[in-house]
Amino acid sequence: MEIDTKKLAALDEASLSTMIYEVARSMGLGEEKARRMASNAPAIRVMLAKASDRDVNRLVSMIGEKRAAEILSGVNPKTDNGGGK
C-alpha cells in the first residue's frame, strides 16, 4: 500500500486529528492516550512531514494495510475549491 504523504499534509486539523485517533486506537492504545495524541495534531503534522516513506510504511504494517485503507478512506484533504477529494 502506498501512502500519499502530500494528501496527509493537506488534511485540515480536524481530519488529521481524527486520523491520528483512529491510528492510535488501531495500534492498541487506550481511549485517553489516543485522544491526547489526537489533540496534538500540529506536532504530529510536523513529524509526518519529516517522515520517510519507510517510516510511513512501518506505521502501515503496524496497523495493517486493510485498516490503514479504511482510515484513509474516511479522511479527505481540503482543497482551494471547497471540495474534499
Side-chain angles (χ1 to χ4, degrees):
M1 166 177 221
E2 189 160 330
I3 304 292
D4 185 346
T5 54
K6 290 180 184 178
K7 284 185 181 179
L8 291 179
L11 292 175
D12 63 274
E13 291 302 311
S15 296
L16 180 61
S17 181
T18 298
M19 186 192 73
I20 292 166
Y21 174 82
E22 293 296 333
V23 168
R25 292 294 288 159
S26 295
M27 292 174 64
L29 295 179
E31 177 83 19
E32 181 62 29
K33 195 165 201 170
R35 288 196 186 282
R36 279 196 310 261
M37 287 184 73
S39 71
N40 201 12
I44 293 177
R45 181 183 302 279
V46 171
M47 290 171 55
L48 284 171
K50 295 178 181 181
S52 68
D53 289 342
R54 184 177 177 192
D55 295 331
V56 174
N57 288 332
R58 191 172 19 208
L59 181 60
V60 169
S61 70
M62 290 172 71
I63 63 173
E65 287 191 23
K66 181 179 178 186
R67 182 63 182 135
E70 290 170 351
I71 292 168
L72 289 173
S73 71
V75 295
N76 292 310
K78 298 291 183 187
T79 60
D80 292 336
N81 66 7
K85 293 184 180 178

